[in-house]
Amino acid sequence: MPTVAVTRVIPEAGLRLLREAAEVKLWPEELPPSPADLAELLQGCDGALTLLTDAITGDVLDREPGLKVVSNFAVGYDNVDVPAATTRGVAVCNTPGVLTETTADFTWALLMAAARRIPEGRDYVREGRWLTWGPTLLLGRDLTGATLGIVGFGRIGREVAKRAAGFDMRVLAYDTYEDHDAARELGATFRPLDDLLRESDFVTLHVALTPETEKLIGARELGLMKPEAILVNAARGPVVDTDALTAALRDGTIGGAAMDVTDPEPIPADHPLVSMPNALIVPHMASATVATRDRMAEMAANNLLAVLRGERPPHIVNPEVLERRQR
Ligand code: GLV
């Protein structure tokens, strides 16, 4: 039997599949393994099921020459040095598709909560400040009829666009690759990023984190946005410059922000952003439903086991590794 490392407790649906086919070394703690703990966990393993909190570098891979696959329990894989894995013949897998709708739904939850100031309303009641109905109490922004700017028009971005139709929104999209058929079908129009930022009432981010998208939204970009606009980040924290966002929210450059992801992540509870009334921050939970996390666990396990069986996994980021092995 092969040996596989699992770097945190994942839903049983995935663990069961792994245990049927492999010896499983499971990291049982709530916090991720330290680099030293990770090295120890990976020792002698044929495969690793990793999370977005594990940095899988060339050094990590060099220590375990027997490792054939790193199967990430996430659609994003910016925590894995893919070129380093490819050079060393290690397959890298991810879990696309199964979390698309769940993440798009959550993006809407963030958009609506921020637009209609739901967290502030909850605090208001909890703090005993609700004395009467107020004609100007906690006034928010209408989604209906507003302009939604979607940055990153991939799977998740397109699902977000689909949901905008129910709110009669004008949908703008930005992507380096413009799929005009998809945009037409969803009633979206491509715009250069600066124009999208200028024209949108709500801007939502759905790009992968790469060197090109790091700090894609900085002081200059926030400065282009409308003063009442709301920014949603359901992508990766470093896509937004945290200091610039903190300043923009403080100075009224934009109206508000709702973030599933932050930089750093987790963001310290005493960071100025956390206590700002116009910032809504939640702990990277956009794909967190029972059904979706089960599907992610199954997919990550199936990807890993397929590589170990010498088969093509359902989702591989660097397929050239497999092609090379066949030769
Ligand atoms: C979560 O952020 C993911 O990439 O799946």
Side-chain angles (χ1 to χ4, degrees):
M1 261 200 182
T3 304
V4 302
V6 180
T7 63
R8 213 89 64 78
V9 178
I10 60 165
E12 193 50 38
L15 285 178
R16 196 167 42 236
L17 291 172
L18 293 174
R19 286 199 181 106
E20 281 165 12
E23 201 66 56
V24 175
K25 284 171 78 181
L26 179 64
W27 179 254
E29 313 284 337
E30 188 190 344
L31 293 180
S34 66
D37 290 330
L38 182 65
E40 198 181 321
L41 187 74
L42 294 181
Q43 224 167 56
C45 286
D46 304 282
L49 192 148
T50 55
L51 305 195
L52 52 87
T53 42
D54 303 311
I56 308 297
T57 59
D59 282 351
V60 169
L61 299 173
D62 279 340
R63 260 182 254 125
E64 279 318 308
L67 201 68
K68 293 172 197 69
V69 51
V70 171
S71 181
N72 218 36
F73 178 89
V75 62
Y77 46 84
D78 48 276
N79 58 303
V80 183
D81 185 338
V82 178
T86 306
T87 315
R88 291 160 180 78
V90 179
V92 179
C93 301
N94 68 334
T95 63
V98 289
L99 49 69
T100 304
E101 290 82 2
T102 301
T103 303
D105 288 353
F106 194 79
T107 300
W108 276 92
L110 286 177
L111 261 172
M112 295 172 85
R116 300 303 303 273
R117 305 176 63 180
I118 291 174
E120 288 172 83
R122 187 186 203 229
D123 290 348
Y124 195 79
V125 175
R126 283 192 163 176
E127 290 159 12
R129 292 158 62 203
W130 187 19
L131 304 179
T132 183
W133 186 86
T136 59
L137 176 64
L138 288 170
L139 303 184
R141 299 278 161 194
D142 280 311
L143 284 156
T144 298
T147 298
L148 174 67
I150 301 177
V151 178
F153 207 58
R155 291 187 196 85
I156 297 169
R158 293 200 291 258
E159 275 307 306
V160 170
K162 195 171 163 189
R163 284 152 179 73
F167 291 91
D168 294 327
M169 294 180 94
R170 184 165 79 109
V171 180
L172 305 179
Y174 165 76
D175 205 305
T176 46
Y177 167 71
E178 297 190 347
D179 183 341
H180 287 281
D181 290 340
R184 203 171 309 113
E185 198 177 306
L186 295 165
T189 311
F190 282 107
R191 281 276 194 285
L193 181 59
D194 285 4
D195 293 352
L196 178 149
L197 294 170
R198 273 189 208 102
E199 291 177 46
S200 299
D201 302 300
F202 301 92
V203 174
T204 180
L205 308 176
H206 303 284
V207 291
L209 176 61
T210 64
E212 291 74 40
T213 62
E214 191 171 343
K215 294 201 166 68
L216 183 68
I217 305 297
R220 189 191 75 84
E221 290 72 23
L222 291 161
L224 296 175
M225 290 172 66
K226 297 183 184 183
E228 68 278 7
I230 290 173
L231 177 70
V232 174
N233 189 1
R236 283 290 183 267
V239 174
V240 177
D241 180 334
T242 301
D243 290 343
L245 178 65
T246 308
L249 290 175
R250 188 193 52 220
D251 302 344
T253 308
I254 66 168
M259 285 159 289
D260 184 44
V261 289
T262 56
D263 180 28
E265 192 169 306
I267 192 160
D270 61 358
H271 190 285
L273 263 184
V274 175
S275 49
M276 285 184 175
N278 53 351
L280 163 59
I281 305 179
V282 294
H284 202 153
M285 55 193 275
S287 70
T289 66
V290 175
T292 292
R293 289 286 164 86
D294 277 354
R295 284 196 293 265
M296 288 168 68
E298 281 170 4
M299 183 178 275
N302 282 327
N303 283 335
L304 186 151
L305 294 173
V307 175
L308 295 188
R309 284 194 300 262
E311 295 164 9
R312 192 188 174 90
H315 292 285
I316 177 157
V317 173
N318 55 352
E320 59 272 32
V321 166
L322 302 180
E323 280 141 29
R324 216 181 300 148
R325 265 193 218 148
Q326 275 160 13
R327 265 184 236 135

